[in-house]
Amino acid sequence: MRGNTAMMPKTFDVQGFVDEQKLRPIHFLVLILCFLVMFSDGFDIFMIGKIAPAIAEGFGVAPAAMTIVILLQQIGLALGAFLISPLGDLYGRKRMLVISFALFGGLTVATAFAPSILIMAIMRGVAGLFLASVLPMAVALISEFTPKKSRATFIAVGMAGYSLGNVAGAVTALLVPDFGWQSGFWVGGMLPLVLIPVLVAFLPESLAYRVNRDPSDARIPRTIAKISPGIELTGTEVFVGQGNRKTGARPNPLELVRDGRARTSAILFTSCFFSMGTIALLAAWLPSFFLQMAGISIQDFALSAMVGLLGGIFGMLTIGGLLDRIHPTLPIPFFFIGYATAVVSLSQVPFHSPFFIPTLFLMAMFQGGGQAGLNMIMARVYPPFVRSTGIGWAGGAGRIGGVILPLFGGFALSSAYSLQLTLVLVALAPVIVAILVLFLRPVEPAPSTR
């Protein structure tokens, strides 16, 4: 009887196991690889805004003509967030990351040969389908591998790669005089293509995904052994995932509004609409605003941006620590109020004064920290079997904002608005987000069940 008792199956809660672990090399491996993934994604998405005036000049058109390129890229990002991100829940985070990297990397390189603004716009739209899915799957991977006490901080570090990619995109403006606007697309396309073999060889698949898909998968105990080398598994474990859901069932987007998540999802989706829409607007048009409204060349602005936008990294790391240690939501509204204040201040501080770069730093710090905070809430409230979908669809709402709000940039340029009026109007969006998040009461995922 003792022998039979010893071999009795026992439930093994995978997420509970991950939550209780000490940090080990596999956690840092996942973090570093996802950091590089998000760096490439951030570089490629924001790069075009840094060199938009140079592209327009290369095709002999006014900067406002780049509106179609910005618009179709944002439409592609929006569609990709809704259509491609859920595939990470169906087919795996790692697999879809590699596929997305291959497709958007190849398309970005090909865009360097675009013969017209219209063809470029179409190619950026298609590339946007796959660009949009990268961040949700990378955030889901970090969340599902990291112990609970360090989760927000690790997500913040990973997303700092996204912000650093934005900063590095400013380098492309410095390459333009010697290598042409095409250089930005060569760099942006080759980064993911070079990274693909590294991801295939070293990035592990999410345990939560494997358990929810097939709890008998032989790769589950092998990954568990890497996370905790001293663990003893008998082979009789019944692996279970997280959430009030039958293991092995197909992901259902309706889970985003079940178990008390409807109100939280509505607030997060609306917040992302305004937050990501403003990020897209400033990324696409801020160099052009300063060129046309203040007479600052894109090269001069790029030098300031490379220093100032490093604030995004600082903001993400700061918000991660605050959400892990102080309060799960309260710091976020303060970040968005700071963001609005800094945006308005950019129009008041002379470009060549010693206060301009610190102001740009603060804007990026509050911008990056605020959006990262929203993503950290998503990683907590959406259970693993729809986590990629939840983060992706909230991002999709943000991408819709990224389609609509940047239209204001082209309108402001063609209407000859002043820099002061333009940035005051831009600052209204983060104020709205701050108010929305004050009403946020995030729910925790349901406990594990068989």
Side-chain angles (χ1 to χ4, degrees):
M1 293 298 293
R2 287 184 179 179
N4 292 337
T5 302
M7 295 303 293
M8 286 288 289
K10 63 177 182 180
T11 298
F12 190 107
D13 177 0
V14 170
Q15 191 60 57
F17 163 77
V18 170
D19 284 345
E20 296 168 1
Q21 296 306 300
K22 296 179 180 179
L23 292 176
R24 292 187 170 90
I26 190 170
H27 298 117
F28 292 99
L29 174 65
V30 171
L31 176 61
I32 291 168
L33 292 178
C34 288
F35 178 95
L36 294 173
V37 161
M38 287 194 266
F39 175 90
S40 300
D41 193 45
F43 183 98
D44 204 295
I45 287 176
F46 294 113
M47 167 267 298
I48 197 164
K50 308 294 191 300
I51 58 173
I55 297 173
E57 182 181 354
F59 283 105
V61 297
M66 288 295 293
T67 301
I68 184 64
V69 180
I70 307 294
L71 178 63
L72 289 191
Q73 174 174 293
Q74 293 302 320
I75 290 174
L77 288 168
L79 291 175
F82 286 111
L83 300 177
I84 308 299
S85 295
L87 300 182
D89 292 323
L90 283 170
Y91 303 112
R93 303 10 172 160
K94 176 179 177 178
R95 179 181 300 174
M96 291 310 303
L97 271 178
V98 170
I99 291 172
S100 295
F101 257 41
L103 292 171
F104 90 67
L107 283 163
T108 300
V109 170
T111 305
F113 302 97
S116 68
I117 290 285
L118 179 59
I119 297 299
M120 175 182 289
I122 294 171
M123 296 178 77
R124 290 307 291 172
V126 178
L129 288 171
F130 306 101
L131 282 163
S133 64
V134 170
L135 188 144
M137 287 183 281
V139 169
L141 269 171
I142 295 174
S143 174
E144 289 158 14
F145 265 101
T146 307
K148 186 175 182 178
K149 65 180 181 296
S150 302
R151 188 165 296 146
T153 300
F154 265 51
I155 292 173
V157 173
M159 289 198 64
Y162 189 78
S163 185
L164 188 60
N166 183 4
V167 175
V171 175
T172 57
L174 305 180
L175 298 175
V176 166
D178 294 324
F179 302 102
W181 59 262
Q182 294 87 347
S183 58
F185 294 95
W186 277 104
V187 175
M190 291 306 299
L191 281 173
L193 296 179
V194 168
L195 194 55
I196 285 174
V198 181
L199 298 178
V200 171
F202 298 108
L203 182 65
E205 182 56 273
S206 162
L207 268 177
Y209 162 74
R210 289 202 191 283
V211 170
N212 281 301
R213 180 176 180 272
D214 179 11
S216 64
D217 191 328
R219 291 167 291 189
I220 294 172
R222 292 202 295 268
T223 303
I224 288 173
K226 290 180 181 178
I227 295 174
S228 180
I231 196 170
E232 294 184 5
L233 298 175
T234 65
T236 63
E237 291 80 9
V238 177
F239 298 107
V240 296
Q242 187 183 60
N244 186 20
R245 168 186 181 271
K246 181 180 177 182
T247 300
R250 290 176 66 85
N252 184 351
L254 289 177
E255 298 288 349
L256 302 181
V257 296
R258 290 175 178 164
D259 299 324
R261 288 186 286 269
R263 183 176 185 273
T264 298
S265 291
I267 292 175
L268 287 172
F269 282 31
T270 308
S271 295
C272 283
F273 174 91
F274 286 105
S275 175
M276 295 176 66
T278 306
I279 292 172
L281 190 162
L282 292 175
W285 293 114
L286 197 57
S288 297
F289 289 162
F290 275 87
L291 175 66
Q292 183 166 314
M293 300 173 183
I296 306 300
S297 72
I298 62 169
Q299 286 77 25
D300 286 343
F301 188 83
L303 289 170
S304 298
M306 279 190 292
V307 179
L309 291 179
L310 288 171
I313 300 170
F314 182 77
M316 291 177 180
L317 298 179
T318 301
I319 197 75
L322 292 174
L323 297 185
D324 266 337
R325 295 171 179 81
I326 296 178
H327 192 277
T329 61
L330 192 57
I332 297 174
F334 290 98
F335 269 70
F336 279 100
I337 292 297
Y339 180 18
T341 302
V343 168
V344 173
S345 298
L346 279 180
S347 67
Q348 306 298 323
V349 177
F351 180 82
H352 295 291
S353 80
F355 301 106
F356 184 81
I357 290 178
T359 303
L360 196 59
F361 182 94
L362 288 173
M363 185 202 79
M365 182 187 81
F366 291 124
Q367 179 193 78
Q371 181 58 45
L374 294 177
N375 287 328
M376 291 168 200
I377 294 173
M378 298 173 214
R380 184 171 69 250
V381 301
Y382 294 128
F385 50 87
V386 287
R387 184 166 288 146
S388 181
T389 302
I391 299 173
W393 281 24
R399 300 303 182 187
I400 293 174
V403 172
I404 296 172
L405 297 193
L407 295 176
F408 171 74
F411 177 78
L413 289 172
S414 60
S415 301
Y417 279 7
S418 69
L419 186 63
Q420 289 76 15
L421 174 60
T422 299
L423 295 187
V424 165
L425 293 174
V426 170
L428 294 176
V431 172
I432 293 172
V433 178
I435 295 170
L436 286 170
V437 177
L438 286 173
F439 294 94
L440 188 62
R441 295 194 300 270
V443 294
E444 292 291 340
S448 298
T449 60
R450 285 187 60 176

